[in-house]
Amino acid sequence: MQVILSQTSGTPLYEQITEQLRAAILRGELAEGTQLTSLRQLARDLRVSLITTTRAYNDLAASGLIANVPGRGSYVLAVDREAARAEATRALRDQLGRAVGTAVTAGIEPTALHLLLDEAWNEQHDH
Amino acid sequence: MNNTITEPAAIEIRGLRKDYGRFRLGPIDLDLPAGYVTGLVGANGAGKTTLLKSVLGLVRPDAGSVRQGRDGRVRPGIDLAGTGVVFDQLTVIPEWTARGAAAAIAPFCPRWDATLFADLLERFRVASDARIGTLSRGEGTKLSLALALARRPGLLILDEPTSGLDPSARRDVIDVFAEFMAADEGHTILFSTHITSDLDRIADHLRVLAGGQLVEAGPLAEVLERYAMVRGPSVALSAPARAAVHGLREVNGVFDALINVRHTALFGPEVLIEPAGIDDLVVHLGRTEGSPR
Amino acid sequence: MSGVLRFVRLDIRVQQATLRTTLAVAGLLAVLTWVVTPLPPMIVAIFTFAAAIVAVEPFRADERGRLDVLYAVLPVGRAEVVWGRYLTMLGVQVSFAAVGVLLAVAAAAAKAQPLDVGLTGLVLAAGLAINALVLAVQTPVLFRVGYARARWVAFTPIMVIMAIVALAGPSGLNLLRVASALAATAWLPALFPLAGLVALALSALASAWLYGRRDL
């Protein structure tokens, strides 16, 4: 699994790393027990500072997705499907709330909104 | 469980002072964290080179101490055998070849790695039998870097290593830094630069010099988060706001300045407030030396 | 001590190119001298004189290559650099003088003339001693301020020689007579190089102190 960083996305580098790893873990691409690249190796591979990778791994650990074992490395933990689903639902609620707000402001009907949702879903699954 | 960023100091500077008459450095208290990349920035003449020379013992300070943590204790001075140094000008005879320069230096370096030197030259595409005087600026810097790294140092000190280099050469140099840092958790880099985009990605820590004083120090992201850039019509600048900003510039009724984030309340909606970059710190902190944080 | 020797090896690398050129020039001058004034001991004088002139060259190379900074960031002490440089200089002086002597012997043989050993020995001893004095005076200056700011010291040997020649001037033949007399007493001339060595050692101590305090 490769982390690919965008220079221009505006999202801080550590956040991009966190998000990509989180997605990979939730997708199951990084199985439970997998050892992640060491902080220093990752910093070198991505050409970022050590503090950046440290922060990314700390955030992942705070979310309960990985464990940072001093002297041994960082390991993917078992995904708590319930908790992950609940967190994703919360995030979706926020995002959808904003989407609805945009639609209302522009005078777009719910049916059009549903169509857009289907389109977006199909696009994702084509990849 | 979190990884805490523990920061034993690789180098500890206390009360460093050097007086050149027109220019005065210090007093400076500075810690260089071991195992991290620290960028040293500041305008020309801010004292970066003097500071680095004082650390290396090229220049005798008028006051203060430089100490280094090694073999489990803090000792005075720097262990030059374990330090690689790169200056922005070559410190070799132009008539020598790259190989000749290495042969001249190697006997002094107990951990000299000839294979590493040859590998780096090949990677940098610098011919080992090329006369140093015929090398381009970029090639010269890369040769200096190869000579420094072949000593297998634990500490790399560089003064403007990427100045005068084209983007491709700069990329090569940064790549080499990244590998050096990955090779050992004790490896430490201190480099001074104007080219702040190099620091944006790979620097862990930042030290800002202005007018011979250390005006900011800390982890890079944290230091940047302490500040913001404000831009707007000059009329929007109240008197308290004027007093609080750093490095105010006013042109044609429009101003821009650096502020501490705790002062953002001094401004109304007619100004633009944006995150500050390293360049902004160098430009605006430099204009008001010794201003309170 | 090993630091000093390591520096000597480095110093030889630094000076290699210049030394070869100077030896060649000195050789040329010697040939010319021999043609003009067929006095083999003069060849020795030329070579010893050349060695004094070339003594500033390592400092010029240091300045050109910013080598002082290189020495300072290598794990070798400033005092070791100084003593190493003095050792190299001594080596250069002795080597040039030796070449001069060999060529003088060859010249005498070529002319099928006996070599005036006494006079040659005297010229050698005096030459080495004068050089030592010149180096003892100019080297600490060079270590303290570097070649660019101390260029004037490069003229010291020439000035000293010219002063001696000027003083000797009209009584040049008298000088030669005195010299021959001195040459007859073998041990006195031997003291000259010894005195020169002492002067150099004192000079090295001064240089080490000055160089140690220099901001690079």
Side-chain angles (χ1 to χ4, degrees), chain A residues 38-41 43 48-56, chain B residues 5 34-37 181 185 201-204:
Chain A
S38 78
L39 289 170
R40 286 187 175 268
Q41 286 292 73
V48 295
S49 73
L50 178 60
I51 286 186
T52 300
T53 54
T54 308
R55 190 165 173 186
Chain B
I5 302 172
Y36 290 96
V37 176
M181 293 308 292
E185 65 178 36
R201 278 177 76 117
I202 68 150
D204 297 297

